[in-house]
Amino acid sequence: MPTLIFDGIAYGMLLFVLALGLAVTMGLMNFINLAHGAFAMVGGYTLVVLMQREGWPFLACLPAAFVGTALLGALLERLVYRPMYGKPHLDQVLFSIGLTFMAVAAVDYVMGSSPQTIQLPAFFLHRFEFGSGAWMLGMGAYRLFIVVVCIALAFGLQALLGGTRFGSRLRAAVDDPRVAAGLGIPVNRVFLVTFAVGSGLAGLGGALGADILGMDPQFPLKYMVYFLIVCAVGGTSGITGPLVAAVVLGIADVMGKYYVPKLGGFIVYLLMIAILLWRPQGLFSREGRK
């Protein structure tokens, strides 16, 4: 039981990083970017290419995946996303889904449709065990690494958005871009940086999840629903909501697949429905938030 809970927490933390950029763009920029999974796929394939073809060490590939995906996000924000900011949400959804299918087709053409595998460093293959019997806790070193990285990211982003001048500028730019621009806030630059960081986080999540989730051209379509569930259940008004939602859903998914394998991931959908019936606005969103 403790091992399953820990594996669920690690899986939830991975979902948190993957969905965090989407939560930021939805909650802070009021933009629905369903192509978020495509940026995660770019980060995963960046790690695969750098490790398999260039011989880079795994730990060096993680920041490279973040930076490369962030730069791609900044370029696309400037060229194709920015004109969509003022459009209705349905237009944004259709636009970003179209980008997702384009990304899937492009990766399938360039990299092939076969799933990609990576070889983790030897020190990530160790396993730590505590206790004995039914209450033995087994922790894989790589899953423990994911938990630590995700917790550090959560605290760092919370501090950035809630306690810095940039966070204040971002909130002001979202609330009223015209007034914010009149006060001297570079609204376009703030949105550019925010979108780039969100894209980079998706790329980092894709790189971290390449070993656990697998990496193939269908990745954005397979996990799009999970990203949306994390944002819907946790709310998008901050970092805490998506973090708690991702951990709860991760534990439910792992436990459900272990104890009720015939239902598979259906447990997650049942839990989502129950939570949204109880709190339609999400666990940590305020009533009436738009």
Side-chain angles (χ1 to χ4, degrees):
M1 176 72 77
T3 300
L4 290 177
I5 293 176
F6 174 77
D7 288 345
I9 291 173
Y11 180 54
M13 289 289 188
L14 188 56
L15 289 179
F16 166 69
V17 176
L18 284 165
L20 186 55
L22 179 59
V24 169
T25 55
M26 288 177 63
L28 297 180
M29 298 176 63
N30 196 30
F31 183 86
I32 302 177
N33 178 28
L34 295 189
H36 186 74
F39 290 102
M41 178 176 63
V42 169
Y45 272 98
T46 298
L47 178 131
V48 169
V49 170
L50 290 178
M51 286 189 67
Q52 293 184 352
R53 301 184 182 180
E54 304 299 328
W56 284 35
F58 176 80
L59 292 178
C61 294
L62 295 179
F66 174 85
V67 172
T69 313
L71 292 176
L72 176 62
L75 177 63
L76 292 179
E77 193 277 344
R78 182 66 182 86
L79 296 178
V80 298
Y81 277 99
R82 188 171 297 178
M84 298 298 297
Y85 284 158
K87 301 292 184 180
H89 284 167
L90 179 59
D91 292 354
Q92 296 173 358
V93 167
L94 294 175
F95 168 76
S96 55
I97 286 180
L99 286 182
T100 300
F101 281 104
M102 292 174 62
V104 168
V107 170
D108 183 73
Y109 178 78
V110 174
M111 301 295 298
S113 57
S114 300
Q116 302 292 324
T117 58
I118 63 169
Q119 181 63 44
L120 292 174
F123 52 83
F124 278 143
L125 301 179
H126 292 295
R127 186 174 179 83
F128 307 100
E129 295 184 351
F130 305 93
S132 60
W135 295 101
M136 184 183 71
L137 171 60
M139 297 189 299
Y142 185 58
R143 283 174 167 77
L144 183 61
F145 172 73
I146 289 176
V147 171
V148 172
V149 169
C150 294
I151 291 175
L153 284 174
F155 278 105
L157 286 171
Q158 187 66 41
L160 174 66
L161 296 175
T164 65
R165 186 179 182 185
F166 178 81
S168 300
R169 286 185 165 194
L170 175 58
R171 291 191 298 273
V174 171
D175 289 340
D176 197 324
R178 185 175 300 178
V179 173
L183 293 173
I185 296 176
V187 174
N188 288 337
R189 191 184 309 165
V190 169
F191 281 173
L192 175 66
V193 172
T194 303
F195 193 91
V197 170
S199 302
L201 288 172
L204 177 61
L208 285 170
D211 178 68
I212 296 176
L213 303 178
M215 190 55 56
D216 62 75
Q218 300 299 317
F219 181 89
L221 302 177
K222 287 193 295 186
Y223 292 100
M224 179 190 297
V225 174
Y226 279 84
F227 306 156
L228 291 173
I229 289 176
V230 169
C231 294
V233 171
T236 56
S237 60
I239 303 300
T240 304
L243 174 61
V244 173
V247 171
V248 170
L249 293 172
I251 293 175
D253 190 59
V254 171
M255 300 282 282
K257 289 178 179 177
Y258 182 82
Y259 287 109
V260 196
K262 290 184 178 180
L263 289 179
F266 190 63
I267 299 294
V268 172
Y269 298 102
L270 286 177
L271 182 60
M272 176 195 69
I273 292 171
I275 292 176
L276 293 181
L277 286 175
W278 170 48
R279 287 185 62 85
Q281 74 276 14
L283 291 174
F284 289 86
S285 289
R286 296 186 296 271
E287 293 282 358
R289 181 177 174 86
K290 297 181 180 180

